[in-house]
Amino acid sequence: MRTAKASTDAQALAALHAGYQALLGERATHTRDVLAELTAVKTELSALRQENARLLLEVGALRAQLDHQRKEPTAD
């Protein structure tokens, strides 16, 4: 009887261990996926920041041009 109980316990423990290992594997895969997505988002954010800086420079140049045009006397 004890041998059967020990065998059943061992099988249950092996099943729990296998389930735990599977969960760890899934978590590792999910973590890698999230990190890859985060890296992609960081790359996109960096590109957007560069584009934003370029646009700010362009807007500044346009404002300076408009200010310069306003200050010039008109020949009417």
Side-chain angles (χ1 to χ4, degrees):
M1 199 66 159
R2 287 184 183 173
T3 304
K5 173 80 170 125
S7 177
T8 301
D9 289 348
Q11 288 175 352
L13 182 60
L16 285 173
H17 180 73
Y20 181 71
Q21 292 296 322
L23 286 174
L24 285 177
E26 289 173 14
R27 182 173 179 173
T29 299
H30 180 67
T31 300
R32 281 189 295 274
D33 292 347
V34 168
L35 289 175
E37 188 173 338
L38 179 60
T39 299
V41 168
K42 285 181 176 181
T43 301
E44 185 176 350
L45 179 59
S46 177
L48 288 172
R49 284 181 174 158
Q50 290 175 358
E51 178 70 6
N52 187 47
R54 186 190 67 75
L55 290 172
L56 287 173
L57 289 173
E58 189 175 326
V59 167
L62 290 171
R63 283 183 178 166
Q65 184 180 5
L66 287 173
D67 288 344
H68 180 71
Q69 289 174 356
R70 288 184 195 141
K71 290 178 184 176
E72 289 181 356
T74 55
D76 289 346

